[in-house]
Each structure stands twice: as C-alpha cells, then as structure tokens.
Amino acid sequence: MWIIIILLLLVVGGYFISTQRSLVNLDEMCKNALSQIEVQLNSRFDAVIALAKTAAQYAKHESETIIQAVQARGGNLGNGTQPATPESINQQSDLLTQMMGRLNVVFERYPELKASDLYKEAQQGMKQYEENVRMSRMVYNDTATKMNRMVRQWPSSIVASILHFVEKEYLKVDNEQKKDYPNLDEAFKK
C-alpha cells in the first residue's frame, strides 16, 4: 500500500515539476519574442529617422518636426525600465505607422525625392524591418498560444494556477495590414 502511495506521489510530483518547467520555458520564450519585436521596432524607428533626414533636404521644417517626434517617442523603446508588453508593442507599431504616414505626405509633395537612391534604399530597409517585425509577431503569438493552452487546459491549469501563470495577450494585426485585409476581423469572429 505504501509503495502505491509513494509511486503516486512521485508521478504527481514529476508531473508538477515537468509542467512548471514547461510553463517557465514558454513564459521566457514569450518575453524573448517581445524583446525581439522591440529590437526590430527600434530599427524601424532608426529607418524612419533616416527617411526624415533624407526628406530634410527638400522640406526642412516638416522633416525636422517628424525627426523630433520620432526621437521623443522612440526614445522610450528599450529603455529597460519597463518590460515590453503586447500593449506597448502595439502602441509603438501604431506610432511608427503614423510617422510613416506623415513622411509619405512629404514624399508625395516632392516627386524628385521619391526618385532618389537614398529614398529607395531607406524604403527597402523599412520593408525588411517590417518583415522582421511581422515574423517576430508570429513567433510571439505562436508561443503565447502554446502558453495559453497550458494555462487553460486541465490538468496543467492546476499547476499554472498554483504558480500564478496567466494567459498571454496576443499582438494585434498592424493597421496597415488591416487595410490589406478589410474583412480580417470578421474572419476571426467565425
């Protein structure tokens, strides 16, 4: 009888330890993915500043205003005082979209600027950064899905509850991507 109780305790203890390790692993992977996104967003802010500096040759006041806004708002990225959250990542991404919109207005006013090699190189760099952010978002959301399953499914939900692991928030789709797929929200509701 004692042997059965001891074996049962070993199995439960082993499951508890194994589940705890899996939850910690997924939690760390989520944090790492958010950090990677933040690094890519910093690179995108740098690319926006480079584009604004290119525009400065043609529209000094407008581009300086954009540069100052990007530097002021982008200076909060990666400062180490607060960990990255899906909400902060979404806000930073929205900010970048706004700044790019303002820059595109400047570029539309100066067609010769759009034709310059500097502009083309900066735009190519922006596309690469956007692709990197998109891939990092996918990695984060996939990891968050795995974490959320463990937090919600029985019996791992018991271990998650005891150890205070909670569901991870998903990253939203960029507003620019929503323009490409206007019915995206309805597709997820089905």
Side-chain angles (χ1 to χ4, degrees):
M1 176 77 163
W2 287 105
I3 295 175
I4 293 174
I5 292 173
I6 291 172
L7 283 176
L8 187 59
L9 287 174
L10 286 174
V11 168
V12 170
Y15 176 78
F16 187 89
I17 291 169
S18 173
T19 302
Q20 183 270 347
R21 292 173 72 94
S22 294
L23 287 166
V24 167
N25 185 33
L26 289 171
D27 188 50
E28 288 301 317
M29 289 174 65
C30 284
K31 288 177 185 175
N32 180 293
L34 284 175
S35 177
Q36 294 298 324
I37 294 169
E38 198 167 41
V39 167
Q40 294 302 324
L41 287 174
N42 277 330
S43 297
R44 282 174 66 187
F45 271 107
D46 292 343
V48 170
I49 290 172
L51 274 172
K53 286 180 179 177
T54 302
Q57 299 167 6
Y58 293 86
K60 188 167 180 66
H61 174 71
E62 292 170 272
S63 60
E64 283 179 0
T65 303
I66 293 169
I67 290 170
Q68 290 170 356
V70 170
Q71 288 175 333
R73 294 178 182 169
N76 297 330
L77 295 177
N79 59 12
T81 58
Q82 295 180 348
T85 63
E87 184 178 331
S88 69
I89 296 293
N90 288 333
Q91 289 172 351
Q92 293 165 11
S93 188
D94 289 344
L95 172 64
L96 276 166
T97 300
Q98 291 171 7
M99 294 301 155
M100 281 305 298
R102 289 174 64 183
L103 264 177
N104 285 333
V105 169
V106 173
F107 290 126
E108 291 299 323
R109 289 186 195 153
Y110 301 96
E112 64 276 8
L113 178 59
K114 279 181 95 170
S116 76
D117 290 336
L118 285 173
Y119 172 79
K120 290 176 185 176
E121 287 175 27
Q123 279 293 96
Q124 196 61 27
M126 281 297 295
K127 287 179 183 177
Q128 182 60 47
Y129 293 131
E130 288 169 7
E131 179 64 18
N132 292 347
V133 169
R134 186 182 72 78
M135 293 302 293
S136 297
R137 284 174 171 273
M138 288 173 48
V139 168
Y140 171 80
N141 281 342
D142 288 346
T143 306
T145 298
K146 292 173 187 172
M147 177 76 170
N148 292 345
R149 281 186 194 138
M150 286 197 73
V151 168
R152 294 179 60 206
Q153 289 179 343
W154 190 86
S156 61
S157 62
I158 296 168
V159 177
S161 176
I162 291 169
L163 299 175
H164 305 289
F165 283 97
V166 295
E167 287 184 58
K168 296 290 182 184
E169 183 181 335
Y170 291 104
L171 293 172
K172 69 178 178 87
V173 175
D174 284 341
N175 289 330
E176 287 299 310
Q177 291 171 338
K178 281 186 179 180
K179 289 178 188 172
D180 295 336
Y181 304 100
N183 298 324
L184 195 59
D185 289 331
E186 284 110 36
F188 285 119
K189 291 178 185 174
K190 293 181 181 177

PDB file of all heavy atoms in Angstrom, residues 48-81:
ATOM      1  N   VAL A  48      13.005  55.269 -39.968  1.00  0.00           N
ATOM      2  CA  VAL A  48      12.119  56.418 -40.166  1.00  0.00           C
ATOM      3  C   VAL A  48      12.916  57.718 -40.033  1.00  0.00           C
ATOM      4  O   VAL A  48      12.741  58.647 -40.814  1.00  0.00           O
ATOM      5  CB  VAL A  48      10.937  56.390 -39.164  1.00  0.00           C
ATOM      6  CG1 VAL A  48      10.160  57.694 -39.195  1.00  0.00           C
ATOM      7  CG2 VAL A  48      10.001  55.227 -39.478  1.00  0.00           C
ATOM      8  N   ILE A  49      13.804  57.766 -39.056  1.00  0.00           N
ATOM      9  CA  ILE A  49      14.640  58.960 -38.876  1.00  0.00           C
ATOM     10  C   ILE A  49      15.521  59.161 -40.108  1.00  0.00           C
ATOM     11  O   ILE A  49      15.682  60.284 -40.592  1.00  0.00           O
ATOM     12  CB  ILE A  49      15.474  58.856 -37.582  1.00  0.00           C
ATOM     13  CG1 ILE A  49      14.558  58.981 -36.366  1.00  0.00           C
ATOM     14  CG2 ILE A  49      16.559  59.934 -37.540  1.00  0.00           C
ATOM     15  CD1 ILE A  49      15.235  58.702 -35.044  1.00  0.00           C
ATOM     16  N   ALA A  50      16.078  58.075 -40.639  1.00  0.00           N
ATOM     17  CA  ALA A  50      16.901  58.185 -41.851  1.00  0.00           C
ATOM     18  C   ALA A  50      16.077  58.714 -43.024  1.00  0.00           C
ATOM     19  O   ALA A  50      16.555  59.559 -43.792  1.00  0.00           O
ATOM     20  CB  ALA A  50      17.506  56.827 -42.197  1.00  0.00           C
ATOM     21  N   LEU A  51      14.845  58.244 -43.153  1.00  0.00           N
ATOM     22  CA  LEU A  51      13.977  58.750 -44.220  1.00  0.00           C
ATOM     23  C   LEU A  51      13.674  60.233 -44.013  1.00  0.00           C
ATOM     24  O   LEU A  51      13.680  61.021 -44.966  1.00  0.00           O
ATOM     25  CB  LEU A  51      12.661  57.965 -44.256  1.00  0.00           C
ATOM     26  CG  LEU A  51      12.650  56.681 -45.061  1.00  0.00           C
ATOM     27  CD1 LEU A  51      11.348  55.926 -44.847  1.00  0.00           C
ATOM     28  CD2 LEU A  51      12.851  56.953 -46.539  1.00  0.00           C
ATOM     29  N   ALA A  52      13.414  60.603 -42.768  1.00  0.00           N
ATOM     30  CA  ALA A  52      13.113  62.007 -42.473  1.00  0.00           C
ATOM     31  C   ALA A  52      14.321  62.895 -42.771  1.00  0.00           C
ATOM     32  O   ALA A  52      14.168  64.021 -43.255  1.00  0.00           O
ATOM     33  CB  ALA A  52      12.670  62.163 -41.023  1.00  0.00           C
ATOM     34  N   LYS A  53      15.517  62.391 -42.482  1.00  0.00           N
ATOM     35  CA  LYS A  53      16.725  63.168 -42.779  1.00  0.00           C
ATOM     36  C   LYS A  53      16.910  63.318 -44.286  1.00  0.00           C
ATOM     37  O   LYS A  53      17.388  64.347 -44.755  1.00  0.00           O
ATOM     38  CB  LYS A  53      17.944  62.516 -42.126  1.00  0.00           C
ATOM     39  CG  LYS A  53      17.972  62.729 -40.617  1.00  0.00           C
ATOM     40  CD  LYS A  53      19.169  62.089 -39.966  1.00  0.00           C
ATOM     41  CE  LYS A  53      19.160  62.349 -38.462  1.00  0.00           C
ATOM     42  NZ  LYS A  53      20.260  61.684 -37.770  1.00  0.00           N
ATOM     43  N   THR A  54      16.540  62.293 -45.015  1.00  0.00           N
ATOM     44  CA  THR A  54      16.588  62.386 -46.477  1.00  0.00           C
ATOM     45  C   THR A  54      15.612  63.455 -46.954  1.00  0.00           C
ATOM     46  O   THR A  54      15.926  64.260 -47.827  1.00  0.00           O
ATOM     47  CB  THR A  54      16.241  61.024 -47.113  1.00  0.00           C
ATOM     48  OG1 THR A  54      17.155  60.044 -46.644  1.00  0.00           O
ATOM     49  CG2 THR A  54      16.288  61.088 -48.619  1.00  0.00           C
ATOM     50  N   ALA A  55      14.432  63.459 -46.345  1.00  0.00           N
ATOM     51  CA  ALA A  55      13.420  64.451 -46.722  1.00  0.00           C
ATOM     52  C   ALA A  55      13.824  65.861 -46.310  1.00  0.00           C
ATOM     53  O   ALA A  55      13.351  66.839 -46.894  1.00  0.00           O
ATOM     54  CB  ALA A  55      12.082  64.087 -46.083  1.00  0.00           C
ATOM     55  N   ALA A  56      14.703  65.966 -45.309  1.00  0.00           N
ATOM     56  CA  ALA A  56      15.110  67.277 -44.804  1.00  0.00           C
ATOM     57  C   ALA A  56      15.738  68.137 -45.894  1.00  0.00           C
ATOM     58  O   ALA A  56      15.668  69.370 -45.830  1.00  0.00           O
ATOM     59  CB  ALA A  56      16.086  67.112 -43.639  1.00  0.00           C
ATOM     60  N   GLN A  57      16.322  67.511 -46.882  1.00  0.00           N
ATOM     61  CA  GLN A  57      16.927  68.262 -47.975  1.00  0.00           C
ATOM     62  C   GLN A  57      15.869  69.040 -48.754  1.00  0.00           C
ATOM     63  O   GLN A  57      16.161  70.048 -49.370  1.00  0.00           O
ATOM     64  CB  GLN A  57      17.662  67.312 -48.916  1.00  0.00           C
ATOM     65  CG  GLN A  57      18.779  66.553 -48.235  1.00  0.00           C
ATOM     66  CD  GLN A  57      19.283  65.399 -49.092  1.00  0.00           C
ATOM     67  OE1 GLN A  57      18.877  65.233 -50.231  1.00  0.00           O
ATOM     68  NE2 GLN A  57      20.164  64.599 -48.520  1.00  0.00           N
ATOM     69  N   TYR A  58      14.631  68.552 -48.729  1.00  0.00           N
ATOM     70  CA  TYR A  58      13.578  69.166 -49.521  1.00  0.00           C
ATOM     71  C   TYR A  58      12.566  69.942 -48.669  1.00  0.00           C
ATOM     72  O   TYR A  58      12.051  70.952 -49.104  1.00  0.00           O
ATOM     73  CB  TYR A  58      12.828  68.089 -50.315  1.00  0.00           C
ATOM     74  CG  TYR A  58      13.684  67.448 -51.363  1.00  0.00           C
ATOM     75  CD1 TYR A  58      14.511  66.376 -51.056  1.00  0.00           C
ATOM     76  CD2 TYR A  58      13.679  67.929 -52.670  1.00  0.00           C
ATOM     77  CE1 TYR A  58      15.320  65.796 -52.015  1.00  0.00           C
ATOM     78  CE2 TYR A  58      14.490  67.353 -53.639  1.00  0.00           C
ATOM     79  CZ  TYR A  58      15.301  66.284 -53.297  1.00  0.00           C
ATOM     80  OH  TYR A  58      16.097  65.719 -54.250  1.00  0.00           O
ATOM     81  N   ALA A  59      12.289  69.434 -47.506  1.00  0.00           N
ATOM     82  CA  ALA A  59      11.254  70.036 -46.655  1.00  0.00           C
ATOM     83  C   ALA A  59      11.780  70.101 -45.230  1.00  0.00           C
ATOM     84  O   ALA A  59      11.425  69.292 -44.387  1.00  0.00           O
ATOM     85  CB  ALA A  59       9.977  69.216 -46.733  1.00  0.00           C
ATOM     86  N   LYS A  60      12.631  71.055 -44.968  1.00  0.00           N
ATOM     87  CA  LYS A  60      13.359  71.136 -43.709  1.00  0.00           C
ATOM     88  C   LYS A  60      12.438  71.142 -42.487  1.00  0.00           C
ATOM     89  O   LYS A  60      12.594  70.326 -41.587  1.00  0.00           O
ATOM     90  CB  LYS A  60      14.265  72.368 -43.698  1.00  0.00           C
ATOM     91  CG  LYS A  60      15.198  72.411 -42.508  1.00  0.00           C
ATOM     92  CD  LYS A  60      16.248  73.466 -42.730  1.00  0.00           C
ATOM     93  CE  LYS A  60      17.205  73.556 -41.576  1.00  0.00           C
ATOM     94  NZ  LYS A  60      18.051  72.424 -41.354  1.00  0.00           N
ATOM     95  N   HIS A  61      11.472  72.031 -42.440  1.00  0.00           N
ATOM     96  CA  HIS A  61      10.630  72.157 -41.243  1.00  0.00           C
ATOM     97  C   HIS A  61       9.814  70.893 -40.994  1.00  0.00           C
ATOM     98  O   HIS A  61       9.757  70.389 -39.874  1.00  0.00           O
ATOM     99  CB  HIS A  61       9.692  73.362 -41.359  1.00  0.00           C
ATOM    100  CG  HIS A  61       8.717  73.438 -40.223  1.00  0.00           C
ATOM    101  ND1 HIS A  61       9.097  73.769 -38.942  1.00  0.00           N
ATOM    102  CD2 HIS A  61       7.390  73.186 -40.181  1.00  0.00           C
ATOM    103  CE1 HIS A  61       8.043  73.729 -38.146  1.00  0.00           C
ATOM    104  NE2 HIS A  61       6.993  73.384 -38.879  1.00  0.00           N
ATOM    105  N   GLU A  62       9.178  70.379 -42.043  1.00  0.00           N
ATOM    106  CA  GLU A  62       8.331  69.203 -41.874  1.00  0.00           C
ATOM    107  C   GLU A  62       9.137  67.996 -41.400  1.00  0.00           C
ATOM    108  O   GLU A  62       8.721  67.271 -40.489  1.00  0.00           O
ATOM    109  CB  GLU A  62       7.635  68.868 -43.193  1.00  0.00           C
ATOM    110  CG  GLU A  62       6.616  69.915 -43.605  1.00  0.00           C
ATOM    111  CD  GLU A  62       6.139  69.676 -45.014  1.00  0.00           C
ATOM    112  OE1 GLU A  62       6.778  70.195 -45.944  1.00  0.00           O
ATOM    113  OE2 GLU A  62       5.131  68.977 -45.172  1.00  0.00           O
ATOM    114  N   SER A  63      10.287  67.782 -41.991  1.00  0.00           N
ATOM    115  CA  SER A  63      11.083  66.613 -41.626  1.00  0.00           C
ATOM    116  C   SER A  63      11.690  66.756 -40.235  1.00  0.00           C
ATOM    117  O   SER A  63      11.791  65.780 -39.499  1.00  0.00           O
ATOM    118  CB  SER A  63      12.169  66.352 -42.666  1.00  0.00           C
ATOM    119  OG  SER A  63      13.021  67.463 -42.765  1.00  0.00           O
ATOM    120  N   GLU A  64      12.086  67.982 -39.864  1.00  0.00           N
ATOM    121  CA  GLU A  64      12.629  68.178 -38.512  1.00  0.00           C
ATOM    122  C   GLU A  64      11.571  67.887 -37.456  1.00  0.00           C
ATOM    123  O   GLU A  64      11.862  67.298 -36.418  1.00  0.00           O
ATOM    124  CB  GLU A  64      13.159  69.605 -38.354  1.00  0.00           C
ATOM    125  CG  GLU A  64      14.498  69.822 -39.016  1.00  0.00           C
ATOM    126  CD  GLU A  64      15.003  71.255 -38.883  1.00  0.00           C
ATOM    127  OE1 GLU A  64      14.297  72.091 -38.269  1.00  0.00           O
ATOM    128  OE2 GLU A  64      16.090  71.529 -39.406  1.00  0.00           O
ATOM    129  N   THR A  65      10.339  68.292 -37.725  1.00  0.00           N
ATOM    130  CA  THR A  65       9.240  68.012 -36.795  1.00  0.00           C
ATOM    131  C   THR A  65       9.052  66.506 -36.646  1.00  0.00           C
ATOM    132  O   THR A  65       8.879  65.994 -35.537  1.00  0.00           O
ATOM    133  CB  THR A  65       7.931  68.660 -37.309  1.00  0.00           C
ATOM    134  OG1 THR A  65       8.150  70.056 -37.476  1.00  0.00           O
ATOM    135  CG2 THR A  65       6.791  68.414 -36.354  1.00  0.00           C
ATOM    136  N   ILE A  66       9.099  65.787 -37.744  1.00  0.00           N
ATOM    137  CA  ILE A  66       8.938  64.330 -37.707  1.00  0.00           C
ATOM    138  C   ILE A  66      10.106  63.695 -36.962  1.00  0.00           C
ATOM    139  O   ILE A  66       9.907  62.807 -36.122  1.00  0.00           O
ATOM    140  CB  ILE A  66       8.786  63.764 -39.139  1.00  0.00           C
ATOM    141  CG1 ILE A  66       7.462  64.250 -39.745  1.00  0.00           C
ATOM    142  CG2 ILE A  66       8.836  62.241 -39.124  1.00  0.00           C
ATOM    143  CD1 ILE A  66       7.322  63.983 -41.222  1.00  0.00           C
ATOM    144  N   ILE A  67      11.320  64.151 -37.247  1.00  0.00           N
ATOM    145  CA  ILE A  67      12.501  63.596 -36.561  1.00  0.00           C
ATOM    146  C   ILE A  67      12.382  63.798 -35.060  1.00  0.00           C
ATOM    147  O   ILE A  67      12.611  62.878 -34.276  1.00  0.00           O
ATOM    148  CB  ILE A  67      13.804  64.234 -37.103  1.00  0.00           C
ATOM    149  CG1 ILE A  67      14.074  63.767 -38.527  1.00  0.00           C
ATOM    150  CG2 ILE A  67      14.991  63.886 -36.203  1.00  0.00           C
ATOM    151  CD1 ILE A  67      15.199  64.508 -39.224  1.00  0.00           C
ATOM    152  N   GLN A  68      11.996  65.000 -34.651  1.00  0.00           N
ATOM    153  CA  GLN A  68      11.857  65.272 -33.215  1.00  0.00           C
ATOM    154  C   GLN A  68      10.785  64.398 -32.586  1.00  0.00           C
ATOM    155  O   GLN A  68      10.964  63.876 -31.484  1.00  0.00           O
ATOM    156  CB  GLN A  68      11.541  66.752 -32.982  1.00  0.00           C
ATOM    157  CG  GLN A  68      12.714  67.666 -33.281  1.00  0.00           C
ATOM    158  CD  GLN A  68      12.323  69.141 -33.284  1.00  0.00           C
ATOM    159  OE1 GLN A  68      11.156  69.491 -33.140  1.00  0.00           O
ATOM    160  NE2 GLN A  68      13.320  70.001 -33.457  1.00  0.00           N
ATOM    161  N   ALA A  69       9.673  64.223 -33.272  1.00  0.00           N
ATOM    162  CA  ALA A  69       8.594  63.389 -32.743  1.00  0.00           C
ATOM    163  C   ALA A  69       9.036  61.934 -32.619  1.00  0.00           C
ATOM    164  O   ALA A  69       8.776  61.276 -31.611  1.00  0.00           O
ATOM    165  CB  ALA A  69       7.356  63.490 -33.634  1.00  0.00           C
ATOM    166  N   VAL A  70       9.712  61.433 -33.635  1.00  0.00           N
ATOM    167  CA  VAL A  70      10.181  60.038 -33.601  1.00  0.00           C
ATOM    168  C   VAL A  70      11.194  59.851 -32.483  1.00  0.00           C
ATOM    169  O   VAL A  70      11.128  58.885 -31.725  1.00  0.00           O
ATOM    170  CB  VAL A  70      10.784  59.620 -34.965  1.00  0.00           C
ATOM    171  CG1 VAL A  70      11.481  58.282 -34.861  1.00  0.00           C
ATOM    172  CG2 VAL A  70       9.694  59.551 -36.020  1.00  0.00           C
ATOM    173  N   GLN A  71      12.140  60.784 -32.375  1.00  0.00           N
ATOM    174  CA  GLN A  71      13.160  60.654 -31.334  1.00  0.00           C
ATOM    175  C   GLN A  71      12.554  60.754 -29.942  1.00  0.00           C
ATOM    176  O   GLN A  71      12.934  60.022 -29.036  1.00  0.00           O
ATOM    177  CB  GLN A  71      14.263  61.699 -31.526  1.00  0.00           C
ATOM    178  CG  GLN A  71      15.142  61.381 -32.710  1.00  0.00           C
ATOM    179  CD  GLN A  71      16.173  62.459 -33.004  1.00  0.00           C
ATOM    180  OE1 GLN A  71      15.972  63.634 -32.687  1.00  0.00           O
ATOM    181  NE2 GLN A  71      17.264  62.075 -33.631  1.00  0.00           N
ATOM    182  N   ALA A  72      11.581  61.635 -29.762  1.00  0.00           N
ATOM    183  CA  ALA A  72      10.960  61.793 -28.447  1.00  0.00           C
ATOM    184  C   ALA A  72      10.160  60.558 -28.071  1.00  0.00           C
ATOM    185  O   ALA A  72      10.270  60.031 -26.963  1.00  0.00           O
ATOM    186  CB  ALA A  72      10.052  63.025 -28.440  1.00  0.00           C
ATOM    187  N   ARG A  73       9.374  60.060 -28.993  1.00  0.00           N
ATOM    188  CA  ARG A  73       8.532  58.896 -28.694  1.00  0.00           C
ATOM    189  C   ARG A  73       9.309  57.604 -28.790  1.00  0.00           C
ATOM    190  O   ARG A  73       9.071  56.674 -28.041  1.00  0.00           O
ATOM    191  CB  ARG A  73       7.328  58.883 -29.613  1.00  0.00           C
ATOM    192  CG  ARG A  73       6.413  60.050 -29.338  1.00  0.00           C
ATOM    193  CD  ARG A  73       5.249  60.068 -30.273  1.00  0.00           C
ATOM    194  NE  ARG A  73       4.419  61.230 -30.002  1.00  0.00           N
ATOM    195  CZ  ARG A  73       3.446  61.623 -30.789  1.00  0.00           C
ATOM    196  NH1 ARG A  73       3.176  60.961 -31.882  1.00  0.00           N
ATOM    197  NH2 ARG A  73       2.728  62.672 -30.485  1.00  0.00           N
ATOM    198  N   GLY A  74      10.226  57.547 -29.740  1.00  0.00           N
ATOM    199  CA  GLY A  74      11.033  56.342 -29.903  1.00  0.00           C
ATOM    200  C   GLY A  74      12.078  56.181 -28.828  1.00  0.00           C
ATOM    201  O   GLY A  74      12.594  55.097 -28.605  1.00  0.00           O
ATOM    202  N   GLY A  75      12.389  57.251 -28.119  1.00  0.00           N
ATOM    203  CA  GLY A  75      13.366  57.183 -27.046  1.00  0.00           C
ATOM    204  C   GLY A  75      12.906  56.332 -25.878  1.00  0.00           C
ATOM    205  O   GLY A  75      13.698  55.934 -25.038  1.00  0.00           O
ATOM    206  N   ASN A  76      11.611  56.036 -25.830  1.00  0.00           N
ATOM    207  CA  ASN A  76      11.074  55.204 -24.749  1.00  0.00           C
ATOM    208  C   ASN A  76      11.271  53.721 -25.019  1.00  0.00           C
ATOM    209  O   ASN A  76      10.999  52.900 -24.160  1.00  0.00           O
ATOM    210  CB  ASN A  76       9.577  55.483 -24.566  1.00  0.00           C
ATOM    211  CG  ASN A  76       9.327  56.911 -24.134  1.00  0.00           C
ATOM    212  OD1 ASN A  76      10.143  57.513 -23.464  1.00  0.00           O
ATOM    213  ND2 ASN A  76       8.193  57.462 -24.537  1.00  0.00           N
ATOM    214  N   LEU A  77      11.719  53.378 -26.215  1.00  0.00           N
ATOM    215  CA  LEU A  77      11.904  51.971 -26.555  1.00  0.00           C
ATOM    216  C   LEU A  77      13.185  51.440 -25.935  1.00  0.00           C
ATOM    217  O   LEU A  77      14.201  52.091 -25.933  1.00  0.00           O
ATOM    218  CB  LEU A  77      11.991  51.794 -28.077  1.00  0.00           C
ATOM    219  CG  LEU A  77      10.746  52.143 -28.857  1.00  0.00           C
ATOM    220  CD1 LEU A  77      11.033  51.992 -30.336  1.00  0.00           C
ATOM    221  CD2 LEU A  77       9.588  51.292 -28.464  1.00  0.00           C
ATOM    222  N   GLY A  78      13.107  50.233 -25.447  1.00  0.00           N
ATOM    223  CA  GLY A  78      14.297  49.546 -24.984  1.00  0.00           C
ATOM    224  C   GLY A  78      15.030  50.256 -23.876  1.00  0.00           C
ATOM    225  O   GLY A  78      16.227  50.089 -23.726  1.00  0.00           O
ATOM    226  N   ASN A  79      14.310  51.051 -23.065  1.00  0.00           N
ATOM    227  CA  ASN A  79      14.995  51.785 -22.020  1.00  0.00           C
ATOM    228  C   ASN A  79      15.230  50.937 -20.772  1.00  0.00           C
ATOM    229  O   ASN A  79      15.870  51.392 -19.839  1.00  0.00           O
ATOM    230  CB  ASN A  79      14.238  53.077 -21.676  1.00  0.00           C
ATOM    231  CG  ASN A  79      12.817  52.811 -21.211  1.00  0.00           C
ATOM    232  OD1 ASN A  79      12.443  51.678 -20.923  1.00  0.00           O
ATOM    233  ND2 ASN A  79      12.029  53.861 -21.135  1.00  0.00           N
ATOM    234  N   GLY A  80      14.695  49.749 -20.739  1.00  0.00           N
ATOM    235  CA  GLY A  80      14.970  48.826 -19.657  1.00  0.00           C
ATOM    236  C   GLY A  80      14.206  49.099 -18.379  1.00  0.00           C
ATOM    237  O   GLY A  80      14.293  48.332 -17.437  1.00  0.00           O
ATOM    238  N   THR A  81      13.444  50.200 -18.325  1.00  0.00           N
ATOM    239  CA  THR A  81      12.724  50.491 -17.099  1.00  0.00           C
ATOM    240  C   THR A  81      11.466  49.655 -16.972  1.00  0.00           C
ATOM    241  O   THR A  81      11.062  49.333 -15.867  1.00  0.00           O
ATOM    242  CB  THR A  81      12.350  51.988 -17.013  1.00  0.00           C
ATOM    243  OG1 THR A  81      11.552  52.325 -18.153  1.00  0.00           O
ATOM    244  CG2 THR A  81      13.602  52.847 -16.965  1.00  0.00           C
TER     245      THR A  81
END
